């Protein structure tokens, strides 16, 4: 994943940290809602419409 992709997903991550997971929209196609699930000790955030996703281990500071 390159830096541009991470920047695109940053708003989604900010919404999750702010406790507003219901406001999530895909940064590529704007589809709602996004699917947030735990997969193999990591979090996967994905769009069921366009198939784009972000998966990783994210920590709050």
């Amino acid at each position: 994943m390159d830096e541009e992709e991470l920047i695109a997903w940053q708003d989604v991550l900010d919404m999750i940290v702010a406790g507003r997971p219901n406001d999530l929209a895909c940064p590529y196609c704007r589809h709602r809602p996004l699917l947030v699930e735990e997969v193999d000790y990591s979090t996967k955030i994905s769009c069921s419409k366009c198939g784009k996703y972000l998966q990783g281990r994210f920590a709050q500071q």
Side-chain angles (χ1 to χ4, degrees):
M1 180 171 285
D2 65 22
E3 188 175 342
E4 285 184 28
E5 288 178 292
L6 288 174
I7 291 169
W9 284 101
Q10 187 61 52
D11 288 340
V12 172
L13 295 172
D14 290 344
M15 296 289 270
I16 291 171
V17 170
R20 299 188 313 227
N22 296 330
D23 294 339
L24 301 178
C26 177
Y28 296 95
C29 72
R30 307 310 300 164
H31 177 75
R32 291 176 190 234
L34 291 177
L35 177 61
V36 179
E37 58 189 329
E38 296 299 316
V39 177
D40 297 326
Y41 303 104
S42 66
T43 301
K44 182 176 183 180
I45 306 163
S46 59
C47 177
S48 62
K49 184 176 180 182
C50 72
K52 299 279 189 178
Y53 70 93
L54 174 68
Q55 184 171 349
R57 294 173 67 186
F58 311 106
Q60 287 182 301
Q61 293 182 351

